[in-house]
Amino acid sequence: MNIQNAPQPLGVGFTWQPDVKESLGEGANFLDFYEISPDVLCRETVAQGRRRLAYQPSLLRAAVDAANQLPLVIHGLGLSIGSANGWNEEYVAILDEFHQQQSFHWHSDHLAFLLTTTVDGDELHTGVPLPMPFTEAALDILVPRAIAMNERFKVPFLLENLTYYLPDLPNDHGWDEIAFLNELTRQSGCGLLLDLYNFHCNAVNFGFDALEALKRLRLESVIEIHLAGGAVHDGFLTDIHTREVPEPVWQILEWIAPRAPNLAGIVYEVMEPAVPRLGPETLTRQLERVRQVWDKYCRPVCAGGTYAAR
Amino acid sequence: MPLAEWQTALGTLIAAQAGRGRIPISTQTEVRALQLTTDEQMWLGELGDSKGFKVTCEIQRWWRETRLREMARLTVAALGREQSTAMFSAYLSSHFCASLFFVPEALRFLQFVAESATHPHLSSIAKFERALLLAKEAAQEEGLHRTTFSSFVYFAAPAEEVLGALLQNQPLPEVQAARFPVVVSSAIQHFWRPATSDDAELSIQ
């Protein structure tokens, strides 16, 4: 990524949800920004094969109000940017609508596909985000769409690496996930939302060294980092944001934070139902630790009350 | 478009395994007929036996069941543990995923239960819960988009007794020959009430 396109550093973020400040207790004091998923502010109807998304006005208002307290970034779930038959136009429409009401510093979605077709040509929803093959054909789909997203709102567009469980994904040129991410960000100019927990899951599940692999990543493309904790299912570490960040993920963060020159935010992700179970004390401890890493390695030099480039 | 065919193949296999717990021979034949390279066909052929594929499908199924348990609590409670497991299986095998959103999934499930339940109380509870969801959805609309949702649901015993027993984990009341209508509407407080005789006349018309 060109340094000129890197966004202003924001700091420590958390998944926005209604009553987030009350849920976090003192942990809210460590926050610099919220990450909002427009999808969760919406209702979806599916009738006669037509999918329609519409904001729930009260949730949209609450999200926009949150922007009066802290800066916002957008993290979508439903773009399905990798669908060969076209991305989810309904999701793009709600993103447009949100942007008309509220600006955001950057936006991101998952490097995945959710929508495809049956063998008869009807729409088929995969029900879980599925990985792209590490191929030229996948890049042919992704690169122009990432460029289009980058230009659409005049703020950086990031793609997030996925946890996947399918073995030996098809590839060209012997590409693995890192090589594919490098090609994608280099060709498109889009940034990377590096989910360290997702990458840790892949490393554990497929038996490779996460840190060694990340040493090959174009670290200048990393704009945002996600942290989370999940659970083991049938021998697989799964991407479910219900727990504290595991220690190996903290260790990777300590390695990468000082080496990613355009890192602009670190977000601790927790699913809404898990927030009360974890409780404010645990959440505060987690956010305090994120804050320590940010302050140690990433805090920009403030000049006249505004951020200056590191 | 080879990538489109590859995604169709993968999505089809996952939908079958997640919904039915197996990949029928007819589905395997359909996937083999897609225009895929030899390597892709080989990868897909081996995929079904991998643990990672099964975990992917189990996660999809688990998410769907979680949404249903969250959104269809009355009906799931009325079904009980064993019957709800069987009903989930029947529903998931016949209705592939259409949305990641809670409400559309729950509406389809409740429709399925209402149509397939043999016990009158169960069918009424599913219809009632479905109507409540629709009423709550309509109540959230504002401005020009605002519409009113209203519906009648008929119980085979006084609704207060059926729902009261359900909420208190007590046996449901005896089924009666008479019908006991309730109005479910986005325009009334708490979204429902027993129908009055005037309401009931309206519903017959």
Side-chain angles (χ1 to χ4, degrees), chain A residues 174-192:
Chain A
W175 285 342
D176 63 359
E177 185 179 10
I178 293 286
F180 185 75
L181 291 172
N182 284 343
E183 279 302 313
L184 175 61
T185 54
R186 187 181 61 76
Q187 292 185 30
S188 69
C190 80
L192 186 61

Side-chain angles (χ1 to χ4, degrees), chain A residues 266-288:
Chain A
I266 306 175
V267 170
Y268 175 37
E269 286 191 299
V270 181
M271 278 173 61
E272 195 172 341
V275 166
R277 195 168 51 75
L278 284 168
E281 282 185 22
T282 300
L283 295 168
T284 297
R285 276 202 308 273
Q286 295 284 286
L287 288 168
E288 185 176 18

